[in-house]
Amino acid sequence: MSTIKNILFTVIALCSLSFAANIGQKAPAFSAIGHDGKTYSLENLKGKYIVLEWFNPSCPYVKKHYNSKNLPNIQKEAKSDKKHPLVWLSISSSYKKHPAYFSNDEAKKIMSDFDSNADAFIIDESGEIGKAFGASATPHIFIIDPEGKLIYQGGVDGGKNANSLKASSIKSAEHKYLKDVLFNRIFKGKTIESEIASTRAIGCSVKYKPTN
């Protein structure tokens, strides 16, 4: 499929900065059973950093970051920092009748196909978690600190070249927001400046169940 067709097929979500969860405030409470049968909630993950990544296996932008190993490598490196325990949850808020929907039973194969190093996939078919956070794109990243406060929302990268579907655009993107926040701010004990704590998520729209 050509790049142009990909763009036509995909509703590109250039996420606005209006989102449900607010930086510096307590993150929306959530509790969900992962594909592994374990319960993941804001409460039982307290004391750890939490990365929530909205995911759609059909989205060309998601494929770009996984096929290039960009996100799997970030996941692996982030989870290897023993001084900063971190749980990475990939969330699908696609509704059941949408082609992007997949079940808990299918999640294990998708994780393998994408070489994902996330701790678990969460199937948010109702869209409740996604709407609580204001997730509007795939990928769209939210980071919660050990006290339960939201400290980042936005894209994997941004600025010049980030809109491209070419794998080479990952290296040439003007801003590597996610890497910068994780490895240059959080893990080094530095403040996340307001100009990068909330960025624009570039990707496909989240496939929430249509409302009448």
Side-chain angles (χ1 to χ4, degrees), residues 38-136:
K38 298 179 180 178
T39 297
Y40 295 90
S41 70
L42 184 65
E43 182 63 27
N44 69 19
L45 293 176
K46 192 172 183 180
K48 300 178 180 179
Y49 286 94
I50 307 169
V51 177
L52 304 179
E53 169 218 351
W54 263 261
F55 179 93
N56 172 353
S58 301
C59 173
Y61 289 92
V62 171
K63 290 180 179 179
K64 178 182 78 170
H65 286 292
Y66 275 92
N67 290 342
S68 65
K69 310 301 181 192
N70 185 44
L71 274 175
N73 287 340
I74 293 174
Q75 293 164 340
K76 185 177 181 180
E77 184 175 352
K79 290 170 58 182
S80 70
D81 189 312
K82 302 304 181 187
K83 291 183 178 179
H84 301 87
L86 181 148
V87 173
W88 192 298
L89 301 174
S90 295
I91 301 180
S92 169
S93 294
S94 299
Y95 67 99
K96 191 166 288 186
K97 291 184 178 179
H98 193 279
Y101 172 83
F102 59 92
S103 67
N104 270 332
D105 290 339
E106 296 167 315
K108 186 174 182 179
K109 182 178 186 307
I110 290 176
M111 285 188 75
S112 175
D113 289 347
F114 280 74
D115 288 327
S116 171
N117 290 308
D119 289 282
F121 269 49
I122 300 292
I123 308 302
D124 175 41
E125 194 270 338
S126 70
E128 182 178 352
I129 301 173
K131 292 176 182 177
F133 277 83
S136 60

Side-chain angles (χ1 to χ4, degrees), residues 145-161:
D145 76 5
E147 285 73 47
K149 292 182 180 178
L150 185 69
I151 55 174
Y152 177 75
Q153 81 78 29
V156 174
D157 51 22
K160 186 178 180 182
N161 297 331

Side-chain angles (χ1 to χ4, degrees), residues 178-197:
L178 182 56
K179 283 185 174 180
D180 197 16
V181 167
L182 283 171
F183 306 127
N184 296 330
R185 302 298 196 283
I186 293 174
F187 292 170
K188 290 186 177 179
K190 295 182 178 179
T191 300
I192 303 172
E193 300 91 332
S194 57
E195 58 265 31
I196 63 169

